[in-house]
């Protein structure tokens, strides 16, 4: 389960408005295979667009939105998936 604090951070860093309950629902519905695949895709994009946050924020928002759409989830959910993957939980 994704915590309230994680959801809030995810919304902030993806410019998303998805509710905590939807983030948790989408997160739980994804298979581990899809979570890993989505995390790898967003990780590659973030590495390609590596730049200071003030210059790359809009690109980061777009990257999260683009990949999230492919998996039929919100950008905030993708952010939570990505953070779990980075921490070795996916």
């Amino acid at each position: 389960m994704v915590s309230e604090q994680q959801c809030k951070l995810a919304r902030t860093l993806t410019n998303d408005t998805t509710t905590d309950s939807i983030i948790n629902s989408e997160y739980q519905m994804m298979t581990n295979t899809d979570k890993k695949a989505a995390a790898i895709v967003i990780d590659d994009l973030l590495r390609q667009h590596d730049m200071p946050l003030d210059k790359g924020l809009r690109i980061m928002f777009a990257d999260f939105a683009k990949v999230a759409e492919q998996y039929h989830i919100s950008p905030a959910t993708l952010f939570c998936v990505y953070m779990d993957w980075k921490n070795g939980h996916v």
Side-chain angles (χ1 to χ4, degrees):
M1 184 164 160
V2 182
S3 74
E4 181 180 340
Q5 292 172 328
Q6 289 170 307
C7 291
K8 184 176 180 179
L9 178 63
R11 282 190 293 272
T12 300
L13 292 175
T14 59
N15 198 34
D16 193 11
T17 60
T18 304
T19 65
D20 292 9
S21 62
I22 292 174
I23 291 170
N24 275 292
S25 176
E26 290 175 344
Y27 186 93
Q28 291 173 359
M29 291 176 63
M30 288 183 79
T31 65
N32 283 341
T33 301
D34 281 347
K35 287 176 184 175
K36 183 177 179 180
I40 290 169
V41 171
I42 194 64
D43 188 61
D44 288 343
L45 287 171
L46 293 174
R47 288 176 191 274
Q48 288 174 28
H49 300 140
D50 185 24
M51 61 187 71
L53 193 59
D54 61 329
K55 294 182 181 183
L57 191 59
R58 289 179 193 250
I59 295 170
M60 185 179 76
F61 291 161
D63 288 343
F64 271 94
K66 177 181 170 184
V67 175
E69 185 177 336
Q70 293 172 352
Y71 288 90
H72 309 288
I73 59 173
S74 70
T77 301
L78 176 59
F79 184 87
C80 294
V81 166
Y82 181 60
M83 289 295 98
D84 277 354
W85 177 79
K86 290 291 280 185
N87 288 313
H89 297 122
V90 173

